[in-house]
């Protein structure tokens, strides 16, 4: 059985661009990463987030001020939001990205999941 513990959750804005990906954290000014592949960009974003968090005072209220907030209902076709789970030690190697899909009829879920899969999969023919 997996050991569970406290996690902080941060909203990440993921954008597929003409040259790769851009990930930013709307609640954290100037915390962003750019990369060619989605996996590379996620890795960089974890490092950026860990660096930012390591410079905060080690008080719960200071950290929670940057955690989960509103996620927009509508976004452009090349943008999606995710949640990044962070352990209290801010170790980027323990961070995980969680994709969110609203509770809707199964056909809608399949459509949204297919769109999400298309955004994180390299596709040179994507018209942006």
């Amino acid at each position: 059985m997996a050991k569970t513990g406290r996690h902080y959750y941060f909203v990440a804005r993921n954008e597929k661009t003409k040259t790769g990906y851009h990930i930013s954290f709307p609640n954290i000014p100037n915390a962003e990463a750019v990369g060619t592949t989605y996996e590379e960009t996620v890795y960089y974003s974890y490092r950026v987030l860990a660096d930012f968090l390591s410079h905060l005072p080690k008080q719960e209220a200071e950290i929670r001020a940057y955690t989960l907030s509103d996620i927009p209902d509508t976004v452009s076709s090349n943008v999606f939001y995710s949640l990044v789970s962070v352990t209290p030690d801010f170790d980027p190697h323990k961070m995980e990205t969680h994709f969110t899909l609203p509770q809707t009829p199964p056909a809608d879920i399949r459509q949204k999941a297919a769109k999400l899969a298309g955004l994180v999969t390299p596709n040179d023919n994507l018209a942006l």
Side-chain angles (χ1 to χ4, degrees):
M1 179 178 268
K3 186 177 181 181
T4 60
R6 175 182 296 241
H7 286 82
Y8 299 104
Y9 291 90
F10 298 88
V11 174
R13 180 184 184 276
N14 304 264
E15 179 178 6
K16 187 169 189 175
T17 67
K18 291 181 181 190
T19 58
Y21 294 87
H22 177 258
I23 297 175
S24 60
F25 297 92
N27 296 353
I28 303 173
N30 303 316
E32 55 188 89
V34 176
T36 305
T37 66
Y38 184 70
E39 292 82 5
E40 171 189 42
T41 312
V42 167
Y43 172 79
Y44 294 151
S45 73
Y46 289 173
R47 303 295 272 177
V48 166
L49 184 56
D51 183 60
F52 175 82
L53 294 172
S54 69
H55 289 91
L56 287 179
K58 301 294 184 221
Q59 298 166 347
E60 188 80 13
E62 295 289 331
I63 297 165
R64 292 227 178 261
Y66 295 100
T67 59
L68 180 64
S69 72
D70 296 333
I71 297 175
D73 291 332
T74 58
V75 295
S76 62
S77 62
N78 62 323
V79 172
F80 64 95
Y81 285 81
S82 61
L83 302 177
V84 177
S85 171
V86 179
T87 54
D89 62 1
F90 311 140
D91 183 346
H93 298 98
K94 296 177 186 173
M95 293 183 186
E96 293 182 344
T97 294
H98 301 266
F99 299 107
T100 62
L101 295 173
Q103 183 177 350
T104 59
D108 291 345
I109 292 173
R110 281 190 292 278
Q111 180 183 17
K112 291 178 190 308
K115 176 189 173 199
L116 182 60
L119 287 172
V120 298
T121 304
N123 182 354
D124 296 331
N125 298 326
L126 181 67
L128 297 175

